[in-house]
Amino acid sequence: MAAVAVSLAARSSVQRGFLRVPGGGAAWSTQPKATMSFSSLSRGRKVALSTLGVLAAGGAGLALALHRSVKASDLELHPPKYPWSHNGAFSALDHSSVRRGYQVYKQVCAACHSMEYLAFRNLVGVSHTEAEAKALAEECEVVDGPNEDGEMFTRPGKLSDYFPKPYSNPEAARAANNGALPPDLSYIVNARHGGEDYVFTLLTGYCDPPTGVTMREGLYYNPYFPGQAIGMAPPIYNEVLEFDDGTTATMSQVAKDVCTFLRWAAEPEHDQRKRMGLKVLMIGAILIPMVYYLKRHKWTVMKSRKIAYRPPK
């Protein structure tokens, strides 16, 4: 009985951090406090807790899905996926479409939108020859200087010049567009969720507002634009321009060409990147079997040998 009493006293003392010993003394115990962990639970409790966690996660996901289905912005549509010819792993850009897309940008989009990160030299070898790119650059008047007299002057553009801006500063752009700032289009395809799918549906998605929705003056209804009210008037329509190569300028064709041009503008290395990936795959198809052969056959003796040390007698 005395031994049992000492054992019970020792167990209660361990929980307080010290151990009482017979004789009235005390000694600190190094035994850690007992803690409850998931691995120490019984199998039934583990199953119950796991089931509770799964039900809680499922309920949270269901609540989130219901919230998204009934929120007020359900009029905003997400762009569908279009079968772009350059989306394949081994597909290149349609450079004829890129050339037509530049024509659309120059004649339709450049009046409001800038492309300040793209120079005329970037067109050489992609959509235009060097002579054609020089002719396009010389059509622009570029402010340069100062000259020897300390004055600014204008000169014809050169290949090294960037595309001209439609407005001198953002304030002038806002003043000309009812307070809306037209975004720069250099990387617009990468800057918007959906990429060229979003730009295509935005350009072709203008329609009349549904019943009960009134638009403020200067705004237009577009279900693919966040908020559905956009300050840009419908920029393209059938036969909005005439392509130099004779392609029929339908609305969908114009939108498709300018989206292809914007994809190239955002990723000028698009074709080179895919070409390099193809080279890597071809070289890997040769090297990987060779490395596997060396690993399995040439190094098998070295890998499987056993070195035993036998001390001299």
Side-chain angles (χ1 to χ4, degrees):
M1 293 297 293
V4 173
V6 171
S7 176
L8 293 176
R11 182 178 301 177
S12 61
S13 300
V14 166
Q15 295 177 356
R16 294 191 299 269
F18 61 90
L19 175 65
R20 295 189 178 276
V21 297
W28 289 103
S29 173
T30 59
Q31 182 178 357
K33 295 182 179 181
T35 58
M36 181 179 293
S37 63
F38 185 78
S39 59
S40 63
L41 298 177
S42 61
R43 182 177 181 180
R45 291 186 178 183
K46 289 181 180 179
V47 173
L49 289 177
S50 301
T51 305
L52 183 62
V54 171
L55 291 177
L62 179 61
L64 180 61
L66 292 175
H67 171 71
R68 290 185 174 181
S69 64
V70 300
K71 65 180 182 179
S73 62
D74 58 351
L75 295 178
E76 179 182 344
L77 299 179
H78 294 281
K81 295 291 185 180
Y82 291 102
W84 298 95
S85 60
H86 55 266
N87 274 353
F90 306 108
S91 302
L93 290 168
D94 183 356
H95 289 258
S96 298
S97 182
V98 173
R99 182 186 177 97
R100 293 192 299 268
Y102 170 75
Q103 186 179 350
V104 175
Y105 166 75
K106 180 183 177 182
Q107 298 186 19
V108 179
C109 308
C112 299
H113 296 275
S114 62
M115 296 191 75
E116 58 180 330
Y117 299 106
L118 207 63
F120 289 101
R121 66 174 180 269
N122 300 128
L123 299 175
V124 178
V126 177
S127 58
H128 297 74
T129 63
E130 183 176 353
E132 290 174 338
K134 284 184 178 180
L136 292 173
E138 290 174 355
E139 293 177 1
C140 304
E141 293 291 335
V142 179
V143 178
D144 202 349
N147 55 16
E148 296 178 355
D149 299 329
E151 298 178 353
M152 304 299 290
F153 62 93
T154 59
R155 59 167 177 80
K158 300 182 295 185
L159 286 178
S160 58
D161 292 324
Y162 288 85
F163 288 180
K165 299 180 181 179
Y167 305 102
S168 56
N169 52 68
E171 287 72 19
R174 292 181 184 276
N177 293 276
N178 297 324
L181 179 63
D184 184 85
L185 299 184
S186 301
Y187 300 101
I188 194 67
V189 170
N190 289 342
R192 296 295 184 269
H193 177 70
E196 52 265 58
D197 293 330
Y198 168 77
V199 178
F200 182 89
T201 52
L202 181 71
L203 293 175
T204 59
Y206 286 87
C207 60
D208 295 330
T211 304
V213 177
T214 58
M215 304 302 297
R216 195 177 62 190
E217 184 180 359
L219 297 179
Y220 303 87
Y221 183 79
N222 193 317
Y224 297 100
F225 185 76
Q228 295 86 49
I230 184 172
M232 179 177 66
I236 59 175
Y237 48 87
N238 292 330
E239 306 298 335
V240 67
L241 77 166
E242 292 184 3
F243 287 123
D244 295 337
D245 59 0
T247 303
T248 304
T250 61
M251 178 186 289
S252 58
Q253 182 67 47
V254 171
K256 178 257 184 185
D257 290 335
V258 74
C259 289
T260 305
F261 170 73
L262 294 177
R263 167 54 64 189
W264 167 79
E267 295 182 0
E269 76 287 350
H270 181 276
D271 293 352
Q272 289 79 7
R273 172 169 51 82
K274 291 187 176 181
R275 188 181 299 114
M276 182 60 67
L278 181 59
K279 292 179 181 178
V280 170
L281 292 178
M282 294 174 62
I283 295 175
I286 299 175
L287 291 181
I288 291 177
M290 293 177 59
V291 173
Y292 179 78
Y293 173 78
L294 292 174
K295 171 67 170 61
R296 296 294 296 175
H297 298 280
K298 293 297 183 182
W299 285 83
T300 181
V301 178
M302 301 294 293
K303 293 288 186 180
S304 61
R305 68 180 180 176
K306 180 179 180 181
I307 301 176
Y309 175 70
R310 296 180 179 177
K313 296 182 180 180

